[in-house]
Amino acid sequence: MVFYELFVRSFYDSNNDGIGDLKGLTMKLDYLKELGVEGIWLLPIMQSAAFHGYTVIDFYSINPSYGNIDDFKELIQEAHNRNIKIILDIPINHTSVKCEWFQKAVNGDEKYKNYYVWANEKTNLKEKRHWDDSLIWFKYKNKYFYGLFGSSSPDLNFENKELWNEIKNIFKFWLDLGVDGFRLDAAKHIFDYDIENMKFKYQHEKNIEFWNEMVNYIKNINKNAIIISEIWDSPEIVKKYHGIFDVEFNFPFSYYIKDTIKYHDPRILVQGINETLHHYISGSIKSISGNFFTNHDMERLMTTFNEDINMSKMAFNILMTLPGYPFIYYGDEIGMRGKIIDVNYTEDSQEPMQWYESGFGPGQTEWKGCKFNPPYNFISVEEQEKIKQSILNHVKDLISFRKENKWLENSLISNLFNDRFTISYILKSHNKEIKVYHNIKPQKTKVKKETYKSYKIYGQGIIKDNYIVLEGFSSIILEK
């Protein structure tokens, strides 16, 4: 399956308030269908005061800026009519301080007090989170709460088993509305604070117990539900969770792809495949690798490559010619730019989707100024649909190839090899086999021509008598 990560606020506006909404997304489903998208991962759409939606006020409601439950039902129906699945992002690690649960807790309700983690005499109120030295304890009405993701995001206390039932009710609510699965935000953070010793500590065994129970619950309601986990960590930590979820986001591999192209070094990709796609070499596949290069918390691809379109096309060549499920961040298919200066401020990587070359037109969202994607810079669907060599049409062609060869999702990798210019590998599944060459450098190179039934070139290349001339940042796929 080819997935598309979509931020409703930035996508398409149906009522001229400048904010993307569910009706607007429904109006643009045909664009996604034509692109080749088979599943939409929706960033949180529940009621939230935060622009990104990750601090939820009410888990059983729709953000009124996006519409209502009926709009969501219509979206699901229309998506399903086009054979597109809807995967909902649910951030259950924490709530908003505006959440009714938290407000009841701070006002003394014993049931809801036990939903959160509070400071006591053992607490070091100056403790900071390990990745950027931000504080993790915050004062609210003379009480200190634990909030790993900021002062507006009090963490839930999953030592409280009553809370587990509350979370199950949330999953059931959305499944009953027709969603096809969930993206589980911050999956390794369910148990990340040692309450007994009052200090930050990942407790992976407890996380695994929790998620096993939740996944089994979800599958009992809908055995075909797709469960996607976000575990942003080293390959060693990701391996601990292998087999629990249907799809595991492969964060380490996202960096391997980008660094391979950025530094023109095919050895990096070989290392990345060996380290993070090893289960597609050994055949011990228990969870599908969710492959991507960027998301809403990361710098956009074109910015990473200093706006080099050929390098971005090369990244898509790699993404679409490996096993697993590819995920595309909205706007990357038209080369949108976006830089994150601070992990706490991600707006610049979530700018409005650019439909028009002028930057204005029906449905164009305008909730934020386009610092990185200004008008008349060839960063629009309108302009790129016209030009055969655009990144948009390049991505469409790759997705079309991918969908014609669904077997690639579960294929095995063999014959992994690199020289100074290229990386090559064979993908096999039953009686199907292809060989792929990627020229990672900007200069052209030659590769040996082999017996094949057909070939596809993504980029530029010429087939000679006994060799192939492959231009820089180009790939060739040989069907055996």
Side-chain angles (χ1 to χ4, degrees), residues 186-292:
K188 71 173 183 177
H189 287 281
I190 299 303
F191 290 93
D192 63 14
Y193 198 82
D194 181 349
I195 291 178
E196 184 177 344
N197 296 299
M198 293 305 285
K199 65 180 181 180
F200 179 89
K201 180 184 178 183
Y202 288 119
Q203 299 165 85
H204 296 296
E205 294 308 314
K206 287 186 176 181
N207 287 334
I208 289 167
E209 178 191 359
F210 173 82
W211 285 121
N212 273 324
E213 184 163 330
M214 293 299 142
V215 170
N216 287 335
Y217 178 80
I218 291 167
K219 295 288 188 178
N220 282 335
I221 296 174
N222 179 0
K223 65 179 181 180
N224 297 315
I226 300 170
I227 313 297
I228 304 169
S229 69
E230 184 212 29
I231 300 169
W232 194 337
D233 214 315
S234 66
E236 291 72 28
I237 298 300
V238 174
K239 285 176 191 175
K240 291 179 183 289
Y241 295 83
H242 192 59
I244 299 173
F245 310 102
D246 298 305
V247 184
E248 299 169 335
F249 276 132
N250 197 335
F251 279 89
F253 194 54
S254 71
Y255 296 102
Y256 280 117
I257 294 175
K258 290 179 286 191
D259 286 350
T260 295
I261 300 167
K262 190 174 181 180
Y263 301 113
H264 313 323
D265 188 348
R267 295 172 300 178
I268 296 174
L269 190 60
V270 170
Q271 180 184 351
I273 291 172
N274 279 322
E275 286 189 6
T276 73
L277 294 175
H278 54 89
H279 43 302
Y280 290 99
I281 297 173
S282 67
S284 57
I285 305 165
K286 296 178 181 176
S287 294
I288 296 165
S289 181
N291 302 326
F292 67 102

Side-chain angles (χ1 to χ4, degrees), residues 156-184:
L156 289 166
N157 173 25
F158 287 96
E159 298 286 357
N160 177 7
K161 285 295 185 79
E162 185 179 352
L163 182 57
W164 293 32
N165 292 327
E166 188 83 63
I167 300 302
K168 288 177 182 177
N169 291 337
I170 293 168
F171 286 134
K172 185 177 188 304
F173 174 82
W174 294 102
L175 288 168
D176 287 348
L177 285 175
V179 299
D180 299 290
F182 302 102
R183 182 264 189 183
L184 304 172

Side-chain angles (χ1 to χ4, degrees), residues 319-438:
L319 185 72
M320 294 294 171
T321 56
L322 282 168
Y325 288 166
F327 285 75
I328 300 170
Y329 183 38
Y330 85 93
D332 275 357
E333 77 274 19
I334 58 170
M336 283 179 60
R337 285 76 159 160
K339 191 175 184 67
I340 291 181
I341 298 171
D342 187 295
V343 294
N344 296 307
Y345 304 97
T346 60
E347 293 95 323
D348 286 344
S349 74
Q350 299 175 55
E351 289 194 347
M353 176 73 176
Q354 294 299 291
W355 297 104
Y356 308 100
E357 192 64 8
S358 67
F360 300 99
Q364 182 64 53
T365 60
E366 300 178 46
W367 71 273
K368 176 189 182 302
C370 289
K371 185 192 304 183
F372 290 94
N373 300 281
Y376 303 110
N377 271 271
F378 191 60
I379 314 171
S380 71
V381 173
E382 177 184 56
E383 191 66 20
Q384 292 196 23
E385 282 183 333
K386 302 174 187 174
I387 299 174
K388 187 174 181 358
Q389 299 303 319
S390 69
I391 189 169
L392 175 59
N393 284 319
H394 185 82
V395 173
K396 282 183 182 178
D397 288 347
L398 280 164
I399 295 176
S400 177
F401 163 77
R402 182 81 182 194
K403 292 175 72 176
E404 289 167 3
N405 294 275
K406 295 287 288 181
W407 62 271
L408 291 173
E409 294 176 353
N410 300 306
S411 60
L412 295 182
I413 303 168
S414 64
N415 296 73
L416 187 60
F417 175 78
N418 75 275
D419 58 23
R420 288 192 309 117
F421 284 79
T422 65
I423 178 173
S424 63
Y425 47 83
I426 289 175
L427 300 179
K428 293 181 181 179
S429 180
H430 303 294
N431 61 338
K432 301 282 190 178
E433 179 180 330
I434 63 170
K435 185 164 189 177
V436 182
Y437 287 93
H438 299 299

